[in-house]
Amino acid sequence: MDFAEREEEWALLMRGAIAGDGAAYHRFLIAVAPYLRATARRQCVRLGRGGGDPEDIVQEVLLAIHLKRHTWDQGRAIGPWLAAITRNKAIDMLRRRGRQTEVPIENFIEQLPAEPVSAGEEAGDVDRMLAMLNPRQRDIIRSVSVNGDSIREVADRLEMSEGAVRVALHRALKALAARYRSDAK
Amino acid sequence: MRTEELINALVTDEPSTRKRFDLVLAFAVALGALVAGSLFFLAIGFRPDIDEAVKSAPFLFKFVITLSLATSAIGLCSRLARPGVPTKEWGYALAIPAILLALAVFAELMLTPSSSWKPSLIGSNSRFCLTLIPLLAVGPLACLLLALRQGAPTRPGLSGAVAGLAASGIAATFYAANCTDDAPLFVATWYPLAIAMMVVVGYAIGSISLRW
């Protein structure tokens, strides 16, 4: 599959996701991650030791894609949108590592082969950021991610309404992104 | 945390109910214009000779400048706030008001005696120009910056500066209806000074508050 076809498929999935199709959204994120990983690895290899763990970039970019998905104009190709977000977050990452931001970061996403998930898939930054959230937010994020709980299950366990859990989860993800951001200053 | 686990959390989060960014921006422009317009009609008002002025070309030309500035800056804002959308054409569009104003100044210099240049440049409203344009621009700038926060500007400082330009374009459109100085020399001297203040303010706020 060449890049144009891939991009068309991603766009299709994302349109479904924006229309409320959770399964399409899951497939979209899983499909995009290997390309983000390839871009991130290239970035880290170039910087050598201290360039950081590529998976940290992958996870931060996924979070940004999630929170900013309404800024993708459905009439436009999705590749440039993904590339711009990836580039922006890679720059933040460099700032966090105290690197100069003049290092050129091209929009690689089009040229690179996908990099499948490997054993080194786990990333540390996100845990560090999670540790800075309040316990309730951390608990909710951990439940739906690591444990794979549904909103319903979390609501029952914490004796909250489902609506309140949804709101709390969304706020927690925004708080997580804000943590990454303040860390990059 | 593993990436697939993070993806679980993202998918569990509710579907985006956010409005498309261009709608958010359009609303911000309308609200900003409403705020500036209310302030203008309540506290400033038209110049006394407005009935005569609307028949004069130099008076009307001021609106060509301010409206083309507002339009091109709003268009650029809308593109800066969406990642991966090309901005070049709209960046060039910003040159349109500048070129039009330069041509008008050139025409004034060619058509009027040099003895009238200095009074025309100094005018009689420069102080109002420098205070009322920024004052009228505060509301629109706040609306635009709040809208940009809903977007994802990859260049926060620049986006804030362009928001300052757009807000000034809206403010100057109202102010121009009050100002009795219509000479291109006056407009080219004082309006840009007033606008520059809002650009600096927009840049400063943008580079702090528009990061995401």
Side-chain angles (χ1 to χ4, degrees):
Chain A
M1 201 176 359
D2 66 10
F3 185 73
E5 290 172 53
R6 213 157 64 206
E7 202 182 10
E8 194 41 54
E9 190 183 323
W10 291 348
L12 203 66
L13 290 172
M14 190 55 145
R15 280 190 205 104
I18 291 170
D21 179 349
Y25 192 35
H26 191 260
R27 280 175 58 203
F28 170 80
L29 295 172
I30 292 285
V32 162
Y35 294 91
L36 300 180
R37 191 169 291 119
T39 309
R41 187 167 307 279
R42 176 108 168 223
Q43 194 59 46
C44 293
V45 165
R46 176 152 28 164
L47 291 172
R49 286 169 67 88
D53 180 350
E55 210 58 30
D56 284 328
I57 302 181
V58 173
Q59 295 188 354
E60 192 180 350
V61 172
L62 286 171
L63 186 59
I65 286 174
H66 176 69
L67 293 174
K68 292 298 182 185
R69 62 199 188 280
H70 60 282
T71 66
W72 174 52
D73 179 343
Q74 295 189 36
R76 289 178 187 271
I78 200 166
W81 180 77
L82 286 170
I85 289 185
T86 307
R87 184 175 187 281
N88 197 321
K89 288 295 142 190
I91 291 172
D92 277 0
M93 172 66 94
L94 295 178
R95 287 214 182 105
R96 188 170 314 133
R97 307 275 177 218
R99 289 295 187 127
Q100 289 195 329
T101 52
E102 281 75 37
V103 181
I105 302 165
E106 296 100 22
N107 294 333
F108 287 131
I109 203 160
E110 302 192 13
Q111 304 130 29
L112 291 176
E115 190 152 325
V117 175
S118 68
E121 193 209 357
E122 195 149 344
D125 269 6
V126 65
D127 294 305
R128 202 156 54 77
M129 305 299 166
L130 273 175
M132 289 188 275
L133 298 186
N134 72 45
R136 174 59 61 96
Q137 291 181 321
R138 189 163 58 234
D139 182 349
I140 292 177
I141 289 188
R142 286 213 154 271
S143 302
V144 296
S145 59
V146 180
N147 307 343
D149 292 346
S150 66
I151 294 283
R152 181 68 182 274
E153 287 165 322
V154 179
D156 287 348
R157 185 168 59 79
L158 297 177
E159 295 179 342
M160 293 166 72
S161 74
E162 288 187 38
V165 175
R166 278 178 211 286
V167 171
L169 172 61
H170 189 68
R171 290 213 180 124
L173 290 172
K174 281 172 81 170
L176 187 62
R179 278 292 153 204
Y180 275 107
R181 192 161 57 237
S182 58
D183 208 45
K185 268 179 191 159
Chain B
M1 186 189 290
R2 299 190 314 128
T3 299
E4 280 175 12
E5 294 166 344
L6 177 69
I7 289 176
N8 286 341
L10 302 183
V11 174
T12 310
D13 189 25
E14 60 194 280
S16 178
T17 50
R18 297 282 194 86
K19 294 275 183 294
R20 282 173 42 191
F21 180 73
D22 42 4
L23 297 179
V24 173
L25 188 69
F27 180 73
V29 169
L31 189 64
L34 189 71
V35 171
S38 309
L39 181 60
F40 176 80
F41 288 111
L42 290 174
I44 302 170
F46 289 125
R47 54 197 262 182
D49 63 342
I50 185 70
D51 294 340
E52 285 304 306
V54 292
K55 295 173 200 151
S56 116
F59 175 74
L60 296 176
F61 184 72
K62 291 195 292 187
F63 297 96
V64 175
I65 300 290
T66 58
L67 286 172
S68 61
L69 172 67
T71 310
S72 54
I74 291 165
L76 185 56
C77 263
S78 142
R79 274 146 191 87
L80 282 170
R82 288 174 294 159
V85 175
T87 53
K88 207 189 247 175
E89 290 80 3
W90 284 86
Y92 291 146
L94 273 185
I96 293 173
I99 292 169
L100 287 175
L101 189 54
L103 289 175
V105 168
F106 183 72
E108 184 182 6
L109 293 179
M110 297 307 286
L111 297 173
T112 61
S114 58
S115 58
S116 75
W117 294 351
K118 199 175 167 196
S120 148
L121 186 152
I122 292 170
S124 48
N125 292 287
S126 57
R127 244 181 250 166
F128 290 122
C129 181
L130 290 181
T131 49
L132 292 182
I133 289 180
L135 190 68
L136 287 165
V138 168
L141 180 61
C143 293
L144 289 170
L145 288 172
L146 284 173
L148 286 176
R149 278 176 65 88
Q150 305 291 310
T154 49
R155 286 182 284 179
L158 178 67
S159 303
V162 175
L165 214 47
S168 305
I170 296 170
T173 302
F174 285 107
Y175 171 70
N178 169 269
C179 179
T180 52
D181 286 305
D182 300 334
L185 269 173
F186 179 90
V187 176
T189 306
W190 302 104
Y191 281 52
L193 263 179
I195 290 169
M197 293 186 225
M198 296 317 287
V199 170
V200 171
V201 171
Y203 177 86
I205 300 177
S207 41
I208 295 165
S209 75
L210 293 182
R211 299 186 55 233
W212 46 278

